[in-house]
């Protein structure tokens, strides 16, 4: 048998195919250069530019795509979240993104413990639906918040629970399929009579069902002896699952075939009982080898899982607000942690298992400390880091020196793990490579990712040599070269050697039988290119010179800041955190942080990046970015899309000029000051419908959105007449009079001043200038720089930099700490001010704890629940801990902090006509339902002015600033 002949160039057929697909599909079709670029990569080290991308709405769209692509001589690839680590989900043909529309859970039967799902269903979404019935999907991947069931089927995913629940292959019962000729079928378990019946005729299904028994019979010995002995494997075609047939479990046979044999449009999957309780022992070790050596002791107590992360990942977690909590609860500075989980219904018995393990480790000299995490609150920080280990490791990248996935998925029997790990490390050291270590010790699977710079001479060759040596080492221990991430482009080349000639040829016969025209994701598993082809960084783009207004403090400047994205797809999560609100609302790749970063990389790779940054198609991708900054904190690699968008807008305006609306919003302080000076007359136009319609048509300010109400007695005016309370004992504090609350909600600023004075501070108000936050959001960076320079100089001249500088609007006060430094990195005034920025909540918590502020036990808040929503910029730049702590200081109050994402308002974003609907859609995702669900007497609190406006507009409930509530509880 020979490989398929080379395919003709796609250039001549792409435009005709795009037109045919557009006519045939209900879903979207995208053949533009930017869309093709975004789907040219997954989370692997590879890149292939597809001919086009489609977003099927249903199975008929998938059928039409496979048919038309086949007629055009182009391959077709079904893709979920695109988080493949070894290149399964890239192709030179047509990419079908099944995650956008095909995410329905059509059946969930608690009685049979099954669910029928479309391939785009996200694992966490299935688990959330199943949890209502005490069930869950067994495989527990670290990417569960964005991994799709279709993708898990494609590469036979497993995860931390595989010791108890096995792999995806063990839970797939039936699949609806599109075959390579666009015909359809449903396969599950077929007995011989059913196989023989379906094998009649000349359909592709009939030919497959006639041919499979022949392949099984002719290669029985190779199938029996050619697969690795160890069970934890995800490579090759699973002919071993058909050995002994009939009956033929064809659904399980297709699991792990990486979309090369058929495309699943739905699957019936089995569910398992969800354990009522889970506890963790967290062992602290002085080396990775010592940590792996402790695995057998842990396994002797029948745990649910044993996981390990090394010091590289721990140190990186300490550097980010989102993940720093784990570091604060550890003992000492461990070189590795081992998480051992026990699950069940009896908490006392589970805790006893923790105690037994701690005693066993101590008795055998394993590790130096064991932390117990029993409650969900105790487990939250460690689970967050464990699930983000890959991203945190990727954050150690510097330029093109990245931890690459090419030997990251090996598994050996756990009894050999310590010895195997030591020899693995010897291989790396011999070749001068460092690596990060993490993974599943319970099943002998470590995800070891060496740092390699493929742009440097000899590094590609070194990578290949290491891959070959590790492949031989795995084979020596009877392990698997692919244990859960599949073969893809990184490992398929080695399959002939790993499986032997006879079994490999049987696999080639399977591919030819199922896909005679080689339409379905060719070049994976069999007949693959060398692992060193199609490397993303082997011939990197050489971006032209670009002078930016903001400072991008990474290798490669703005290009490097965008290129830090390694496509792990955490920005596609939807159930926790804030990132990425526009993706949550649209489910479009280009509206995720990853998509926008890819679009910017493409633009900045052009010969004239400044010109490319003005490209309209680029700004379509950037347009729905709310500049919430969630990616800065939640993306483990710290991709700061808010700054990147601002810089791209500035470059665009260099060419096109600044639109009127952007000028208006950028000068919002001036407008708000004028509105306050002319109030209440200035509030009338906002209620005149014809005028609002005119503003909608001519300026793009949504008529449906209520405008802020100006207050005549604004904060600066009040402060001039204000007489301080008490005698200062704590020094000076400068209060920043922001551009929003100062003129429309001055009561908040008054509360801050009064509370700080009662706490013993001498409060000075800084009200002469704007921080530039509105200008930054609109890309008016030259204007923002002038404002930053003026404000910093004013603050330093007044002596404000000698004491704390606070503000009640997080987006404004935190701009002094972040964007001002980025705009003016060498300005000593800016640096001095940034070091003094604090949230007022921090000072007030200190004052309460020191007894300088006393709160009433019987305030109207006592006995109530305060439902708190944090501002996105606060969560990203400072965290919400101080605000939550302040609310908890109010006697009798129960505080519920919402994990409800972004409110969707995002400053001016929610006022803009074209963004109004999506603004509400973002709020409706989690925030509005959570607010509506709050008890009628609950108090809603939010630190951001935009958040409070949006909550009221979307739910008709009034949100208060937490500091207002504190003032009302003051004794």
């Amino acid at each position: 048998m020979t490989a398929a002949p080379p395919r003709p160039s796609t250039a001549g057929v792409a435009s005709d195919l795009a037109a045919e697909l557009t006519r045939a599909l209900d879903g979207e079709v995208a053949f533009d250069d930017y869309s093709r670029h975004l789907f040219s990569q997954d989370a692997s080290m590879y890149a292939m530019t597809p001919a086009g991308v489609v977003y099927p709405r249903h199975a008929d769209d998938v059928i039409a795509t496979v048919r038309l692509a086949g007629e055009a001589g182009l391959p077709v690839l079904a893709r979920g979240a695109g988080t493949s680590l070894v290149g399964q989900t890239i192709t030179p043909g047509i990419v079908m993104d099944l995650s956008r529309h095909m995410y329905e859970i059509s059946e969930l039967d608690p009685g049979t413990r099954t669910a029928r799902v479309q391939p785009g269903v996200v694992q966490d979404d299935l688990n959330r639906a199943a949890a209502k019935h005490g069930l869950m999907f067994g495989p527990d991947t670290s990417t569960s918040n964005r991994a799709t069931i279709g993708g898990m089927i494609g590469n036979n995913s497993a995860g931390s629970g595989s010791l108890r629940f096995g792999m995806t292959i063990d839970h797939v019962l039936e699949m609806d399929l599109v075959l390579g000729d666009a015909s359809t079928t449903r396969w599950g378990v077929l007995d011989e009579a059913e196989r023989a019946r379906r094998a009649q005729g000349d359909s592709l299904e009939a030919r497959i069902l006639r041919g499979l028994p022949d392949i099984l019979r002719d290669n029985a010995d190779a199938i029996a002896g050619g697969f690795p002995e160890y069970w934890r494997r995800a490579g090759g075609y699973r002919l071993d699952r058909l050995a002994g047939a009939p009956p033929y479990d064809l659904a399980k046979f297709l699991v792990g075939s990486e979309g090369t044999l058929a495309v699943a449009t739905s699957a019936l999957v089995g569910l398992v009982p969800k354990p009522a309780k889970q506890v963790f022992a967290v062992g602290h070790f002085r080396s990775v080898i010592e940590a792996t050596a402790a695995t057998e002791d842990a396994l002797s107590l029948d745990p649910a899982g044993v996981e390990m992360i090394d010091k590289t990942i721990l140190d990186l977690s300490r550097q980010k607000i989102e993940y720093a909590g784990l570091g604060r609860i550890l003992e000492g500075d461990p070189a590795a942690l081992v998480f051992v989980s026990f699950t069940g219904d009896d908490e006392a018995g589970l805790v006893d298992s923790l105690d037994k393990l701690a005693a066993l480790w101590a008795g055998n000299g394993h590790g130096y400390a064991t932390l117990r995490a029993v409650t969900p609150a105790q487990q939250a920080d460690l689970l967050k880091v464990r699930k983000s280990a890959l991203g945190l490791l990727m954050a150690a990248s510097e330029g093109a020196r990245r931890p690459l996935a090419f030997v990251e998925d090996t598994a050996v029997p756990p009894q050999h793990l310590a010895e195997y790990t030591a020899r693995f490390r010897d291989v790396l050291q011999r070749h001068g490579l460092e690596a990060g270590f993490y993974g599943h010790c319970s099943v002998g699977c470590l995800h070891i990712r060496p740092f390699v710079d493929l742009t440097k001479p000899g590094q590609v060759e070194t990578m290949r040599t290491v891959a070959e040596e590790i492949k031989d080492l795995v084979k020596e221990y009877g392990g698997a070269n692919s244990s859960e991430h599949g073969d893809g482009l990184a490992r398929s080349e080695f399959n002939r050697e790993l499986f032997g000639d006879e079994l490999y040829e049987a696999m080639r016969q399977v591919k030819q039988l199922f896909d005679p025209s080689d339409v379905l994701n060719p070049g994976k598993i069999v007949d693959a290119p060398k692992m060193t082809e199609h490397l993303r960084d082997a011939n990197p783009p050489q971006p032209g010179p670009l002078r930016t207004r903001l400072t991008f403090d990474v290798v490669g400047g703005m290009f490097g800041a965008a290129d830090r994205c390694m496509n792990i797809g955490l920005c596609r999560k939807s159930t926790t955190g804030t990132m990425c609100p526009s993706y949550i609302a649209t489910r479009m790749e280009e509206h995720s942080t990853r998509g926008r970063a890819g679009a910017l990389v493409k633009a900045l790779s052009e010969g004239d990046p400044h010109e490319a940054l003005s490209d309209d198609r680029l700004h379509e991708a950037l347009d729905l970015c709310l500049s919430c900054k969630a990616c800065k904190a939640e993306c483990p690699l710290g991709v700061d899309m808010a700054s990147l968008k601002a810089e791209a807008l500035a470059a665009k305006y260099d060419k096109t000029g600044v639109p009127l609306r952007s000028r208006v919003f950028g000068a919002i302080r001036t407008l708000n000051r004028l509105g306050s000076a002319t109030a209440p007359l200035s509030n009338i136009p906002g209620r005149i419908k014809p005028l609002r319609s005119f503003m909608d048509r001519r300026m793009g300010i949504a008529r449906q959105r209520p405008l802020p109400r100006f207050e005549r007695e604004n904060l600066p005016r009040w402060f001039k007449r204000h007489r301080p309370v008490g005698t200062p004992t704590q020094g000076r504090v400068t209060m920043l009079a922001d551009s929003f609350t100062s003129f429309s909600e001055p009561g908040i600023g008054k509360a801050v001043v009064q509370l700080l004075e009662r706490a013993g501070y001498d409060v000075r108000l800084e009200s002469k200038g704007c921080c530039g936050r509105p200008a930054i959001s609109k890309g008016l960076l030259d204007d923002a720089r002038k404002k930053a320079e003026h404000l910093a100089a004013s603050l330093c001249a007044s002596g404000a930099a000698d004491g704390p500088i606070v503000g009640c609007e997080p987006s404004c006060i935190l701009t002094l700490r972040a964007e001002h430094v980025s705009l003016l990195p060498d300005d000593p005034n800016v640096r001095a001010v940034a070091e003094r920025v604090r949230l007022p909540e921090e000072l007030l918590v200190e004052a309460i704890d020191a007894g300088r502020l006393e709160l009433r036990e019987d305030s109207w808040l006592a006995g109530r629940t305060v439902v708190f929503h944090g501002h996105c910029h606060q969560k990203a730049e400072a965290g919400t801990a101080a605000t939550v702590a302040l609310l908890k200081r109010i006697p009798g109050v129960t505080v519920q902090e919402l994990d409800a994402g972004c409110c969707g308002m995002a400053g001016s974003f929610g006022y803009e006509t074209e963004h109004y609907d999506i603004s509400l859609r973002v709020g409706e995702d989690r925030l509005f339902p959570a607010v509506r669900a709050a008890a009628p007497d609950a108090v809603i609190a939010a630190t951001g002015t935009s958040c409070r406006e949006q909550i009221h507009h979307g739910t008709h409930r009034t949100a208060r600033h937490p500091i207002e509530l504190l003032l009302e509880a003051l004794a």
Side-chain angles (χ1 to χ4, degrees):
M1 184 182 293
T2 59
R7 297 181 182 277
S9 169
T10 63
V13 301
S15 59
D16 291 341
L17 178 58
E20 290 185 52
L21 287 167
T22 300
R23 288 191 294 268
L25 270 59
D26 290 331
E28 302 86 355
V29 177
F31 274 56
D32 64 283
D33 288 347
Y34 274 93
S35 295
R36 293 168 59 231
H37 176 80
L38 299 192
F39 286 86
S40 68
Q41 301 170 15
D42 50 19
S44 72
M45 59 186 175
Y46 297 101
M48 288 182 182
T49 302
V53 180
V54 300
Y55 301 91
R57 286 191 176 273
H58 40 64
D60 286 345
D61 278 0
V62 175
I63 295 166
T65 302
V66 172
R67 176 178 60 81
L68 291 170
E71 291 172 358
L74 289 176
V76 66
L77 163 71
R79 172 166 159 148
T83 55
S84 161
L85 295 175
V86 289
Q88 294 102 318
T89 54
I90 55 175
T91 179
I94 305 301
V95 175
M96 296 187 294
D97 181 352
L98 302 183
S99 69
R100 184 172 190 213
H101 298 300
M102 297 182 67
Y103 56 91
E104 180 185 3
I105 302 173
S106 57
E107 302 172 16
L108 203 159
D109 186 341
T112 60
R113 294 180 182 173
T114 60
R116 190 173 296 279
V117 300
Q118 290 184 315
V121 169
V122 172
Q123 181 185 345
D124 274 359
D125 293 339
L126 175 57
N127 282 336
R128 190 164 56 251
K132 299 173 184 176
H133 308 285
L135 300 171
M136 68 179 201
F137 188 59
D140 176 27
T141 66
S142 64
T143 55
S144 62
N145 55 13
R146 69 267 197 199
T148 65
I149 300 300
M152 295 177 70
I153 291 171
N155 69 311
N156 194 17
S157 300
S160 62
S162 62
L163 182 64
R164 185 153 295 177
F165 297 117
M167 306 177 73
T168 299
I169 196 170
D170 301 308
H171 302 273
V172 177
L173 307 176
E174 188 175 85
M175 285 194 277
D176 291 321
L177 302 165
V178 179
L179 302 178
D181 66 346
S183 61
T184 62
T185 188
R186 173 176 284 187
W187 280 354
V189 177
L190 271 62
D191 59 24
E192 176 57 22
E194 178 64 11
R195 183 207 66 80
R197 184 186 69 79
R198 293 197 192 188
Q200 302 299 313
D202 194 39
S203 67
L204 178 56
E205 180 186 26
R207 294 195 297 274
I208 291 171
L209 295 179
R210 287 198 299 271
L212 263 181
D214 295 339
I215 294 174
L216 293 170
R217 182 187 62 251
D218 295 346
N219 298 278
D221 291 342
I223 294 169
F227 284 94
E229 295 178 6
Y230 191 44
W231 67 271
R232 188 57 150 68
R233 60 180 186 267
Y237 294 133
R238 295 304 298 267
L239 288 163
D240 56 319
R241 287 284 181 150
L242 297 179
Y248 300 85
D249 196 336
L250 296 176
K252 285 183 171 53
F253 170 67
L254 289 175
V255 175
S257 59
E258 302 184 4
T260 63
L261 302 182
V263 177
T265 56
S266 78
L268 183 70
V269 298
L271 304 173
V272 299
K274 179 180 173 63
K277 302 287 184 180
Q278 177 175 236
V279 299
F280 285 87
V282 184
H284 298 50
F285 298 87
R286 295 182 176 87
S287 73
V288 168
I289 305 302
E290 183 185 352
T292 55
T295 299
E296 287 195 80
D297 277 356
L299 290 176
S300 71
L301 296 175
D302 189 29
V306 184
E307 306 283 298
M308 189 268 290
I309 60 174
D310 74 352
K311 181 177 173 57
T312 303
I313 295 167
L314 286 174
D315 287 348
L316 289 162
S317 73
R318 290 185 172 103
Q319 298 170 21
K320 298 186 71 65
I321 290 174
E322 182 75 6
Y323 304 100
L326 176 60
R328 290 192 287 267
I329 62 175
L330 299 180
E331 296 185 29
D333 186 22
L337 294 180
V338 174
F339 305 125
V340 182
S341 60
F342 296 93
T343 59
D345 297 330
D346 177 16
E347 184 172 302
L350 298 177
V351 172
D352 184 58
S353 294
L354 297 183
D355 294 339
K356 288 179 179 176
L357 177 59
L360 190 59
W361 274 348
N364 291 334
H366 292 311
Y368 67 87
T370 301
L371 177 74
R372 294 162 178 80
V374 177
T375 68
Q378 293 169 339
Q379 297 167 13
D381 289 326
L382 68 92
L383 288 174
K384 186 178 291 185
V385 172
R386 181 179 68 80
K387 278 188 167 282
S388 297
L390 168 59
L392 288 165
L393 181 59
M394 298 305 297
S397 302
E398 294 181 6
R401 182 180 181 270
R402 313 179 196 262
L404 298 183
F406 61 96
V407 288
E408 91 305 337
D409 195 37
T410 63
V412 299
Q415 64 267 28
H416 302 309
L417 184 60
E419 180 183 340
Y420 170 76
T421 303
R423 291 182 63 185
F424 197 126
R425 176 159 278 176
D426 289 343
V427 172
L428 297 178
Q429 290 176 345
R430 190 166 64 251
H431 291 282
L433 298 178
E434 298 176 352
F437 288 65
Y438 70 100
H440 318 299
C441 294
S442 51
V443 289
C445 169
L446 287 187
H447 300 316
I448 303 172
R449 298 173 67 107
F451 286 83
V452 183
D453 185 347
L454 297 179
T455 67
K456 291 188 175 180
Q459 288 289 280
V460 171
E461 292 76 14
T462 296
M463 178 181 71
R464 180 181 184 82
T465 299
V466 169
E468 291 176 337
E469 291 187 27
I470 296 302
K471 166 198 56 140
D472 294 340
L473 184 63
V474 173
K475 197 171 183 180
E476 181 181 333
Y477 284 94
N481 204 38
S482 305
S483 72
E484 64 178 358
H485 295 163
D487 290 334
L489 295 170
R491 288 185 278 270
S492 293
E493 175 195 354
F494 302 121
N495 277 344
R496 179 183 289 278
E497 181 179 349
L498 288 168
F499 293 116
D501 286 340
E502 187 177 351
L503 181 54
Y504 182 76
E505 285 300 327
M507 292 180 183
R508 293 185 72 216
Q509 291 170 28
V510 167
K511 173 64 174 174
Q512 178 64 28
L513 179 65
F514 273 74
D515 187 24
S517 298
D518 212 27
V519 172
L520 301 177
N521 200 18
K524 319 290 168 38
I525 299 182
V526 297
D527 296 325
K530 292 185 178 298
M531 68 164 291
T532 50
E533 295 183 26
H534 307 294
L535 293 170
R536 168 185 172 183
D537 288 337
N539 295 291
Q542 300 298 322
L546 179 68
R547 183 173 176 271
T548 60
R549 275 92 161 179
L550 292 168
T551 302
F552 295 97
D553 195 19
V554 295
V555 175
M558 186 179 182
F559 175 87
D563 196 42
R564 279 186 65 75
C565 176
M566 286 300 294
N567 302 300
I568 62 174
L570 188 59
C571 48
R572 293 171 61 100
K573 64 184 173 66
S574 61
T575 55
T576 60
T578 302
M579 178 179 67
C580 171
S582 56
Y583 175 77
I584 292 170
T586 65
R587 300 181 72 98
M588 280 282 282
E589 175 70 19
E590 67 184 64
H591 297 311
S592 67
T593 305
R594 178 175 74 176
R596 294 187 183 100
L600 282 163
V601 166
K602 172 176 167 51
L604 294 166
S605 301
E606 304 294 334
D608 182 355
H610 196 276
E611 177 73 17
L613 284 175
S614 66
D615 187 280
D616 288 341
R617 182 67 183 89
L618 168 66
H619 284 274
E620 286 180 18
L622 297 178
D623 180 58
L624 295 188
C625 172
L626 284 77
S627 297
C628 67
K629 292 193 180 183
C631 48
K632 184 177 182 180
E634 295 179 25
C635 170
L637 291 105
V639 175
D640 182 2
M641 191 51 59
S643 294
L644 290 163
K645 178 182 178 179
E647 193 67 58
L649 284 171
K652 179 181 180 180
Y653 296 155
D654 286 341
K655 179 179 179 181
T656 65
V658 180
L660 174 61
R661 188 178 66 185
S662 295
R663 291 185 184 276
V664 168
F665 283 129
I668 201 68
R669 185 180 187 88
T670 300
L671 292 175
N672 285 348
R673 189 173 64 244
L674 290 172
S676 175
T678 56
L681 294 176
S682 55
N683 293 318
I684 295 174
R687 301 197 294 270
I688 300 175
K689 290 184 178 180
L691 182 57
R692 292 304 308 275
S693 296
F694 175 80
M695 293 171 66
D696 193 321
R697 291 193 309 272
R698 300 302 295 269
M699 293 185 62
I701 297 176
R703 62 169 68 90
Q704 307 97 313
R705 175 73 64 180
L707 298 180
R709 291 185 60 82
F710 301 113
E711 296 288 340
R712 182 84 169 178
E713 179 77 351
N714 59 44
L715 181 61
R717 183 174 295 175
W718 171 84
F719 191 81
K720 287 180 181 178
R721 296 196 299 268
H722 167 67
R723 292 185 178 182
V725 177
T727 303
T729 60
Q730 301 298 311
R732 171 179 284 188
V733 171
T734 298
M735 165 76 176
L736 181 68
D738 65 82
S739 301
F740 305 101
T741 64
S742 300
F743 304 106
S744 59
E745 297 178 281
I748 299 171
K750 294 176 188 178
V752 174
V753 172
Q754 291 169 336
L755 285 165
L756 288 173
E757 288 178 346
R758 290 284 293 272
Y761 289 101
D762 175 17
V763 181
R764 172 188 173 272
L765 189 71
E766 174 58 57
S767 61
K768 294 179 182 177
C770 177
C771 68
R773 174 76 257 162
I776 293 167
S777 297
K778 290 300 168 189
L780 309 180
L781 298 182
D782 293 332
D783 179 48
R785 183 188 293 112
K786 293 175 184 176
K787 289 174 177 173
E789 186 174 23
H790 169 76
L791 181 58
S794 176
L795 287 167
C796 287
S798 69
D802 296 332
I805 302 170
V806 302
C808 57
E809 175 56 33
S811 63
C812 290
I813 190 63
L814 295 174
T815 296
L816 278 60
R817 182 188 288 178
E819 283 86 354
H820 282 196
V821 177
S822 184
L823 286 164
L824 294 161
D826 300 321
D827 188 319
N829 291 334
V830 167
R831 291 282 182 183
V833 167
E835 292 172 0
R836 292 293 184 174
V837 167
R838 297 189 70 182
L839 296 176
E841 294 96 309
E842 298 170 9
L843 300 183
L844 294 173
V845 167
E846 293 171 2
I848 294 169
D849 292 349
R852 290 184 279 111
L853 280 179
E854 294 184 9
L855 304 178
R856 291 162 46 199
E857 297 286 339
D858 61 346
S859 75
W860 70 272
L861 292 163
R864 295 176 184 261
T865 296
V866 175
V867 178
F868 169 62
H869 172 71
H871 190 287
C872 292
H873 287 198
Q874 179 182 358
K875 288 184 279 190
E877 299 285 3
T880 58
T883 307
V884 172
L886 185 73
L887 289 169
K888 287 182 175 179
R889 297 300 192 277
I890 301 174
V893 162
T894 299
V895 180
Q896 177 190 354
E897 182 178 13
L898 297 178
D899 181 9
C902 177
C903 73
M905 187 67 176
S908 63
F909 183 90
Y911 284 102
E912 295 165 350
T913 299
E914 70 275 23
H915 297 146
Y916 174 79
D917 288 341
I918 201 163
S919 168
L920 291 183
R921 206 182 311 163
V922 170
E924 200 62 67
D925 175 62
R926 280 180 289 155
L927 177 59
F928 294 170
V931 171
R932 294 189 192 109
D937 66 344
V939 181
I940 312 301
T943 43
T945 184
S946 292
C947 307
R948 293 188 295 275
E949 290 177 21
Q950 180 81 325
I951 287 170
H952 187 265
H953 186 52
T955 70
H956 305 295
R957 295 193 69 166
T958 298
R960 307 284 302 281
H961 195 290
I963 286 180
E964 292 180 290
L965 301 179
L966 186 73
L967 182 63
E968 294 177 16
L970 196 64

